[in-house]
Amino acid sequence: MYSMKKITLTFPDHTSIEVENEIRPLTLINRISQEGKKIVAVKVNNEICSLDGVVNISAQLEPVYEDSAEGASIYRRSLCFILAVACHNIYPDSHLLVGHSLGYGYYYTLDTGNALDPTAVNALKAEMQRIVDEDKIIENHFISYKEACTLFEELGLVETRKQLNYRSPSRVQVNSLEGFTDLYFGPLVSTTGALDIFDLMPYHEGFLLRFPTHTDPAKLPPFEDQPKLFEIYKRYKDWGKRLGVTSAASLNQLIHDRTVDEFIDTTETLQVKCMADIADQIHQRGTARVVLIAGPSSSGKTTTSKKLALQLQAIGYKPKVISLDCYYVGREQTPKNEKGEYDYECLEALDVELINQNLLDLFAGKTIEVPSYDFHEGKRHFKGDTMSLGPNDILVMEGIHGLNDKLTPLIPQEKKFKIYLSALTQLNLDDHNRIATSDNRLIRRIVRDSQFRGKDAAATISMWDNVQKGERLHIFPFQNNADAMLNTALDYELPVLKVYAEPLLRCVTPLQKEYGEASRLLNFLSYFSTIPATAVPSQSIIREFIGGSSFHY
């Protein structure tokens, strides 16, 4: 005789209950969440699951609120799905093309190639609002592989269908609403009524889907345009279209057909050309004596500074490279954040006075003693290393505060040339699911931390929120101050990084709070085939993270 199995569920207040066989978290909202806080998903043994999912094992349950980074990610992903549904309803013969993030929003166009006027954008917004107001259930279910192929062909989702050629499960998880179905890339909110804060704003040929920040989920932040960043992205997006490589599926096809080597060469050559163009801009300025390179974590600042130095050397300069890390004040003087931890991300962690004095002395033809910083000891040392600048010499300095003029208040603007780096892949996962720039950088960081810093994936994931907070405070607000921007993403890099990252992510266990993020990244990487490290050139930015570079770091 069959006996129903009992499972034990433990709640955030450490109380437990026993239930028969299985249960949906949605029925336990009052036990899981705090009153007055908006819950969008639940962690089941540290894995993020939909509120409408099924729990059929003994588990520790924790809420995922909209004011958390994970909750904000679910909210954004759900909004993107609702937008795809609305577009399918209004423009059934057209398809959304998702672009990059811009000022707490995602840029979209339609595949018609025609610009969308404000009336069309407002119609899409009204359809989204209708779907939200009707508070409909978003269905999550499995269909057979054959059904999925047929369905995506009927919906005209070419890249989504193509992805199934290289990722072929016997059953395919999908989300469905109002006759529209999309691949499952991660949990969504259980009902559309939760998505009450959003906007569609006409922008260039398309529009921005705008969403709130996780720190203030009740309203949209003011829009801050980033025209330079948008132009860089558009250039790369157009380049990808010309080459016919716009999605993970397109890249997988090159790998499968064994023609990816030519794409690698083309990708690396384009990046070098962009660096050469920036070197020409510096030369045309004529007055620059210091090049300041800034960008978020794992944007490739170190390798870029070395590769740019080669380009400057090729046009007659004698570049000298130095990292702002050398100018940390020392642990005793380093400010602490609200958690009582040393805040190496803030400007006050650097000896701004010494930086400016050294630069003024160098420009005056004097010799300076270059400091070094020992992160293990938390102390600055002077080891007798000196530097001076001759008539054709130019200094290249890299560090996160390079674009902030408070770093170099004594240096005249005409003597500075500022470069902002961003790892902006133009690839999408499929027709309308984007690849987050921050995911690209996090995977780079996980690999590099393991290769060179002895950190496991869980340790890197655990500090990533603080890293991103520092970027929002100290880097992103100054990106429009840049004289030039460089995209450091290489569209073939994720298949390379996957080889290194997957074993590291699989070592994160369900007993660790980082398990949910590790699982999400593993699922994300599963959409890419692999490329061996032997295909990566020795001077590629990717070598900064996987090793084997011909540069010395």
Side-chain angles (χ1 to χ4, degrees):
M1 183 175 177
Y2 176 72
S3 173
M4 294 285 284
K5 125 182 129 168
K6 288 184 177 289
I7 59 173
T8 302
L9 303 178
T10 304
F11 300 104
D13 62 1
H14 304 297
T15 61
S16 300
I17 61 171
E18 275 193 343
V19 299
E20 299 286 354
N21 202 35
E22 62 181 35
I23 195 169
R24 293 183 183 276
L26 202 56
T27 65
L28 299 168
I29 287 292
N30 293 336
R31 294 293 302 267
I32 301 172
S33 63
Q34 295 178 17
E35 186 176 352
K37 296 201 71 174
K38 191 172 180 180
I39 182 172
V40 294
V42 64
K43 286 186 179 180
V44 180
N45 292 334
N46 288 310
E47 183 173 13
I48 299 176
C49 301
S50 168
L51 287 171
D52 200 39
V54 174
V55 180
N56 53 18
I57 58 172
S58 293
Q60 175 84 37
L61 303 183
E62 294 180 47
V64 177
Y65 295 117
E66 65 174 349
D67 62 355
S68 67
E70 294 158 325
S73 178
I74 293 168
Y75 192 95
R76 293 193 298 267
R77 187 162 54 243
S78 303
L79 270 181
C80 292
F81 177 68
I82 298 304
L83 172 60
V85 175
C87 186
H88 175 70
N89 290 347
I90 295 182
Y91 303 111
D93 297 325
S94 302
H95 300 101
L96 279 176
L97 297 176
V98 64
H100 71 308
S101 60
L102 191 78
Y104 293 103
Y106 296 151
Y107 178 67
Y108 283 87
T109 55
L110 291 185
D111 63 355
T112 58
N114 299 323
L116 283 170
D117 60 35
T119 302
V121 175
N122 287 335
L124 272 175
K125 179 180 175 181
E127 180 67 1
M128 285 185 70
Q129 191 64 58
R130 178 193 67 79
I131 295 170
V132 170
D133 290 343
E134 292 181 6
D135 195 19
K136 296 197 168 188
I137 294 173
I138 300 174
E139 296 179 15
N140 177 257
H141 54 106
F142 287 90
I143 59 178
S144 73
Y145 179 82
K146 183 178 180 179
E147 284 179 291
C149 292
T150 301
L151 179 62
F152 294 134
E153 286 170 6
E154 290 175 349
L155 289 171
L157 300 178
V158 177
E159 297 302 316
T160 307
R161 167 62 185 90
K162 190 191 297 181
Q163 185 63 261
L164 295 178
N165 293 335
Y166 309 104
R167 189 178 188 270
S168 308
S170 61
R171 57 184 199 150
V172 179
Q173 192 170 9
V174 295
N175 296 307
S176 297
L177 180 66
E178 294 191 349
F180 179 82
T181 299
D182 195 13
L183 275 178
Y184 172 91
F185 287 102
L188 304 183
V189 298
S190 56
T191 63
T192 61
L195 306 171
D196 54 338
I197 308 294
F198 74 93
D199 190 21
L200 294 191
M201 184 184 100
Y203 189 82
H204 287 251
E205 293 83 13
F207 61 90
L208 292 174
L209 170 62
R210 303 197 60 232
F211 41 76
T213 67
H214 76 270
T215 54
D216 193 358
K219 64 180 181 180
L220 295 175
F223 174 66
E224 295 180 9
D225 201 3
Q226 299 164 5
K228 293 179 182 178
L229 195 64
F230 180 81
E231 286 305 316
I232 290 290
Y233 170 77
K234 187 177 184 302
R235 175 181 178 181
Y236 274 84
K237 197 70 177 176
D238 291 343
W239 172 83
K241 287 179 183 176
R242 289 195 298 272
L243 267 64
V245 184
T246 59
S247 72
S250 301
L251 182 57
N252 289 341
Q253 186 171 345
L254 293 183
I255 297 169
H256 178 267
D257 295 343
R258 299 184 181 180
T259 57
V260 76
D261 286 347
E262 183 179 350
F263 181 70
I264 290 172
D265 291 341
T266 304
T267 304
E268 293 281 355
T269 301
L270 175 63
Q271 193 172 84
V272 170
K273 181 184 184 303
C274 292
M275 289 186 189
D277 291 344
I278 291 174
D280 287 339
Q281 286 180 251
I282 294 167
H283 178 65
Q284 289 165 11
R285 167 78 63 84
T287 59
R289 298 302 309 279
V290 58
V291 178
L292 295 157
I293 298 176
S297 174
S298 301
S299 57
K301 294 183 289 293
T302 305
T303 303
T304 298
S305 65
K306 295 179 181 297
K307 295 185 78 167
L308 180 64
L310 289 177
Q311 295 298 328
L312 290 167
Q313 193 171 349
I315 58 176
Y317 289 93
K318 294 180 180 177
K320 297 185 177 178
V321 179
I322 189 170
S323 172
L324 286 171
D325 288 0
C326 298
Y327 287 91
Y328 278 122
V329 293
R331 196 168 292 155
E332 296 83 1
Q333 298 173 263
T334 301
K336 293 183 178 180
N337 60 25
E338 64 276 7
K339 296 180 181 179
E341 302 164 337
Y342 291 109
D343 187 0
Y344 287 102
E345 307 289 321
C346 68
L347 182 64
E348 292 74 20
L350 295 174
D351 192 334
V352 173
E353 183 179 352
L354 180 61
I355 290 169
N356 282 264
Q357 188 58 56
N358 278 179
L359 289 174
L360 291 172
D361 287 345
L362 285 169
F363 299 160
K366 298 179 182 179
T367 298
I368 66 164
E369 189 173 5
V370 181
S372 62
Y373 189 79
D374 188 312
F375 282 92
H376 180 70
E377 294 181 4
K379 294 181 179 179
R380 184 170 61 195
H381 298 281
F382 290 90
K383 299 179 179 179
D385 297 325
T386 61
M387 179 182 290
S388 59
L389 293 181
N392 291 330
D393 293 352
I394 189 167
L395 187 64
V396 178
M397 297 186 78
E398 58 93 1
I400 64 172
H401 296 286
L403 304 185
N404 186 351
D405 282 327
K406 289 183 178 180
L407 176 76
T408 52
L410 302 183
I411 310 304
Q413 290 293 337
E414 66 269 14
K415 291 188 179 294
K416 297 183 282 191
F417 190 96
K418 292 173 282 189
I419 303 172
Y420 175 72
L421 307 185
S422 184
L424 267 178
T425 180
Q426 60 87 22
L427 293 177
N428 294 331
L429 279 172
D430 63 1
D431 293 87
H432 48 249
N433 287 284
R434 62 185 292 277
I435 294 174
T437 298
S438 58
D439 282 352
N440 205 63
R441 293 189 292 107
L442 174 54
I443 290 168
R444 282 180 171 186
R445 180 77 179 250
I446 287 169
V447 173
R448 185 183 66 186
D449 283 358
S450 172
Q451 293 284 97
F452 305 112
R453 301 180 181 180
K455 283 187 178 180
D456 60 22
T460 301
I461 291 171
S462 70
M463 45 74 76
W464 190 242
D465 279 350
N466 280 338
V467 169
Q468 290 190 294
K469 180 181 178 182
E471 294 166 354
R472 290 192 294 269
L473 289 173
H474 307 303
I475 300 174
F476 297 149
F478 305 102
Q479 57 191 6
N480 281 332
N481 294 346
D483 298 295
M485 290 190 175
L486 177 70
N487 184 4
T488 63
L490 292 159
D491 284 341
Y492 74 92
E493 70 178 87
L494 285 168
V496 176
L497 295 171
K498 173 180 178 174
V499 177
Y500 296 83
E502 279 190 335
L504 301 173
L505 292 167
R506 287 197 184 101
C507 289
V508 183
T509 76
L511 302 179
Q512 297 173 281
K513 59 184 175 62
E514 296 81 15
Y515 182 74
E517 181 70 348
S519 297
R520 185 187 69 81
L521 291 174
L522 279 169
N523 181 61
F524 167 64
L525 288 170
S526 72
Y527 288 90
F528 294 88
S529 302
T530 58
I531 295 175
T534 51
V536 181
S538 63
Q539 290 188 350
S540 173
I541 280 177
I542 301 174
R543 290 286 176 189
E544 182 176 330
F545 306 98
I546 67 173
S549 176
S550 60
F551 294 118
H552 296 289
Y553 296 105

